[in-house]
Amino acid sequence: MRTLITTIFLLIFAASFGQTKSYYNIVDSNGDTTFWYKYQTKQIKKLSLPLLNTVSNSIFFRVWTNKQVIEIFQNQTGALSGKLITWIDEYAPYNEKPTNRTFIKEKALTGDTANLVRQLFLSSGILILPTDDSIKGWQHGFDGITYFIEYSTKDNYYFKSYWTPKAQDSLNEAIQVQNFIDSAFSLVKAGYVWKFFAKIIPYESYYNGGSSVAIRALTSEERKKYAKERKNYRQQMHLQ
């Protein structure tokens, strides 16, 4: 009996070990994106999205800006699906404790749109392009925007970051990245979605992970209303 239990345990262990994915560009002497990977992992958890280094989908694509992310994935039946996630974080006035709230909206993509984005991933060359710190001449700074690309198969997981392609002068790889980003978010009509999203943001002030904060132009009465709502929220969540 003990031998049987031991055999079963070893089979389970071997199966689990066989499912471990190979990681690319997370800790690598030729393209170390460890800092950004840790940063994005927090974002992923905040948005309740799956970690692509653990999913079993045969293919899973993800592309990030600072306020929207596109997901394209294939389910077990082989059908292609996708969605566009848009979000912002609430910014509390300097004399208040943060609420740590995030406003999120998801939009499902049609199968046709999901397929177009998948084809863009495959045809643009973005999947074989190195992460930015492995590209000669790619500069980094403190402002701007960093784009992230994730790609997962059953056996491999790739994570890449690109800081502000528009700030790289005429670097060919930067032009390639920016064209890919512009095309992908155009296909899913991300600009239109953001305009609608911005109209229904329920916070007085908000930001998207950068240094700038968007502040609504409000009357004193409207500010009091938002302040009261934040206070009630903190009391309910025991944040005070």
Side-chain angles (χ1 to χ4, degrees):
M1 182 67 178
R2 182 179 297 175
T3 302
L4 176 61
I5 293 174
T6 302
T7 302
I8 293 173
F9 173 78
L10 290 174
L11 288 172
I12 293 173
F13 177 81
S16 299
F17 182 81
Q19 292 173 359
T20 301
K21 295 188 180 187
S22 297
Y23 290 11
Y24 295 88
N25 300 326
I26 294 179
V27 179
D28 189 335
S29 59
N30 295 317
D32 187 351
T33 55
T34 306
F35 170 81
W36 284 122
Y37 174 72
K38 291 179 179 178
Y39 173 85
Q40 281 304 104
T41 297
K42 293 179 181 178
Q43 289 284 80
I44 289 166
K45 291 180 178 179
K46 179 178 70 176
L47 300 178
S48 299
L49 303 178
L51 291 168
L52 297 197
N53 57 342
T54 62
V55 297
S56 59
N57 304 67
S58 57
I59 60 166
F60 207 126
F61 303 97
R62 193 181 272 159
V63 52
W64 297 79
T65 69
N66 63 329
K67 59 187 179 184
Q68 292 177 304
V69 55
I70 301 170
E71 287 191 339
I72 304 295
F73 48 91
Q74 196 169 31
N75 60 30
Q76 294 180 346
T77 66
L80 206 62
S81 300
K83 56 184 176 179
L84 172 68
I85 301 101
T86 305
W87 81 94
I88 55 90
D89 297 310
E90 182 174 27
Y91 177 84
Y94 71 94
N95 59 338
E96 293 183 13
K97 291 183 178 180
T99 61
N100 299 317
R101 289 192 292 187
T102 300
F103 183 56
I104 307 167
K105 287 292 183 182
E106 293 187 3
K107 176 194 174 187
L109 304 178
T110 65
D112 288 342
T113 299
N115 188 58
L116 286 173
V117 178
R118 174 180 176 272
Q119 291 301 322
L120 179 65
F121 266 98
L122 298 175
S123 64
S124 65
I126 198 70
L127 297 180
I128 60 174
L129 191 70
T131 192
D132 66 4
D133 60 1
S134 293
I135 298 175
K136 184 178 180 180
W138 198 293
Q139 303 297 316
H140 296 83
F142 296 101
D143 296 324
I145 178 173
T146 301
Y147 299 110
F148 302 99
I149 306 293
E150 293 181 89
Y151 171 49
S152 174
T153 67
K154 288 184 177 181
D155 301 317
N156 301 306
Y157 171 67
Y158 303 82
F159 178 88
K160 296 184 285 188
S161 61
Y162 300 97
W163 181 79
T164 316
K166 290 183 178 179
Q168 309 305 323
D169 296 324
S170 58
L171 192 66
N172 288 334
E173 291 88 346
I175 295 172
Q176 181 181 354
V177 171
Q178 192 63 60
N179 287 341
F180 168 77
I181 295 294
D182 292 344
S183 297
F185 284 89
S186 175
L187 284 172
V188 301
K189 297 180 171 56
Y192 173 81
V193 172
W194 173 258
K195 287 181 180 179
F196 174 78
F197 177 85
K199 294 178 181 179
I200 59 173
I201 293 173
Y203 308 141
E204 177 180 351
S205 305
Y206 58 90
Y207 65 102
N208 294 107
S211 58
S212 61
V213 176
I215 302 175
R216 294 181 183 277
L218 303 172
T219 65
S220 58
E221 289 299 318
E222 288 172 330
R223 288 195 182 89
K224 289 179 182 178
K225 181 180 177 181
Y226 276 106
K228 182 178 179 180
E229 191 276 332
R230 289 192 299 271
K231 181 178 179 181
N232 291 339
Y233 174 79
R234 291 191 190 91
Q235 290 175 341
Q236 292 173 4
M237 302 301 293
H238 305 291
L239 295 177
Q240 260 184 331

